[in-house]
Amino acid sequence: MQNQNFKNHARFVPLFHMVTFSICLAILVLSCILFFREMSIESTLYLLIAIVLLLSFYFIRSFPLKAQDRAIRAEESLRYYIITGKLFNKNIRMSQIIALRFADDNELVSLAERALKENLNSKEIKMAIKNWRADNYRV
């Protein structure tokens, strides 16, 4: 497996992100066309099914990510506490903590302080990391 870094850390699953989304979108478009051509019970049902498919596509991805974000926050809070003996500053954002998980223990504290001070977003934090700490378990 290739070493993880800023350029290759994002997960992209073509069958899910491209194929499944395209099929859901095509079903929505075709059901809209059918609905506006002939407003019937069947065309309404097809449109509702297409809407449910798209909503399911979104929530199937977002719910597990939200749960994983909570786990990351707990892990990184514990790591920060072990290193510093203090809790994260209450003003640090969730997106910043999630990005900081890639920082090596040696640069975590300084990068966390810099993220707060300069209001860095997650991309800026990831780009500032010198010693990348891989997270191969992110879904």
Side-chain angles (χ1 to χ4, degrees):
M1 176 181 260
Q2 182 181 3
N3 283 344
Q4 193 180 80
N5 57 45
F6 175 74
K7 292 181 181 175
N8 69 5
H9 79 283
R11 294 279 168 98
F12 181 75
V13 182
L15 270 176
F16 180 78
H17 291 102
M18 291 176 63
V19 176
T20 305
F21 178 71
S22 297
I23 291 170
C24 289
L25 200 56
I27 291 170
L28 178 66
V29 169
L30 292 173
S31 64
C32 283
I33 292 169
L34 181 63
F35 178 77
F36 289 112
R37 279 195 183 156
E38 57 175 81
M39 290 190 185
S40 65
I41 291 176
E42 291 86 8
S43 65
T44 305
L45 182 62
Y46 293 143
L47 182 59
L48 291 174
I49 290 170
I51 292 168
V52 167
L53 275 174
L54 276 175
L55 289 173
S56 297
F57 179 85
Y58 171 76
F59 289 121
I60 283 169
R61 180 79 174 133
S62 68
F63 287 163
L65 283 180
K66 188 61 78 173
Q68 197 166 29
D69 289 349
R70 292 183 64 170
I72 290 169
R73 180 181 61 201
E75 290 170 1
E76 293 308 305
S77 294
L78 177 61
R79 181 167 77 118
Y80 188 84
Y81 184 80
I82 290 169
I83 293 170
T84 65
K86 297 184 270 184
L87 298 174
F88 269 125
N89 183 305
K90 64 179 174 130
N91 295 321
I92 194 161
R93 295 188 314 269
M94 185 70 178
S95 61
Q96 291 172 318
I97 293 172
I98 292 168
L100 286 167
R101 80 183 184 279
F102 296 112
D104 186 68
D105 288 349
N106 297 329
E107 59 185 325
L108 174 66
V109 178
S110 61
L111 198 51
E113 290 170 1
R114 184 174 162 215
L116 273 172
K117 188 174 162 184
E118 299 176 24
N119 196 26
L120 299 177
N121 64 35
S122 60
K123 183 179 179 181
E124 292 168 331
I125 292 169
K126 291 175 194 175
M127 290 174 64
I129 295 171
K130 293 176 182 65
N131 297 312
W132 194 270
R133 185 175 157 255
D135 180 3
N136 295 313
Y137 299 108
R138 180 76 174 188
V139 178

